[in-house]
Every structure is written in structure tokens, then in C-alpha cells.
Amino acid sequence: MITAIVLITADVNRIPEVAQEVAELDGVSEVYSVAGDADLIAMVRVRQHDELASVIADRLNKVEGVTGTATHIAFQTYSKHDLEAAFSLGLEG
């Protein structure tokens, strides 16, 4: 699974609509409304690298109100859940 974190800038008058439309795209697992340089952050999860272009360049960038994107590809996922699972492999003290 390939995960891309897409920072989205949007027309301030359409942020909720942009978020909803982006969230409905195949390959987008979730969309967050955020404070900072970006207006929204979309999590894109696909099986093959080629699918990123289809989701991001061909569809996400064309949502009305999207004014720009910056895409970051994840190499490794770390989460509290993953760490707890690793430590529960019989390593009790």
C-alpha cells in the first residue's frame, strides 16, 4: 500500500465543499480541515505508484475550489497502535 499525504489549498469560500468532494474520491481515505499553510490534508492510499497520478493529478486537482496541492509520499508508518502490538509479542517483564 502506498500512502500519500496531500496538502491542499482551497478557495476559502469553498473549503467545506472541497473537503467533501475530495473525501468522496476513490483512493482518498480521509480529509482533515487544518490550521496552517494548508487548508485541508487528504490521505491517499493506493496499491500502485501509477494510481497516485490518477487520484491526485487527474481528479483531486480538478475539484472546483482546489487552488494548489503539495504531495508527500510516506516511506514508513509509525503509530501508537503499531508500537503497542510490537511490545505485546510476549515481551512481558
Side-chain angles (χ1 to χ4, degrees), residues 60-80:
L60 191 151
N61 278 333
K62 294 178 180 173
V63 169
E64 184 181 348
V66 170
T67 59
T69 61
T71 302
H72 301 267
I73 307 298
F75 294 127
Q76 181 76 33
T77 301
Y78 300 92
S79 73
K80 182 177 178 180

Side-chain angles (χ1 to χ4, degrees), residues 19-31:
Q20 188 60 47
E21 289 180 44
V22 170
E24 292 172 2
L25 297 174
D26 286 340
V28 175
S29 61
E30 58 244 66
V31 177

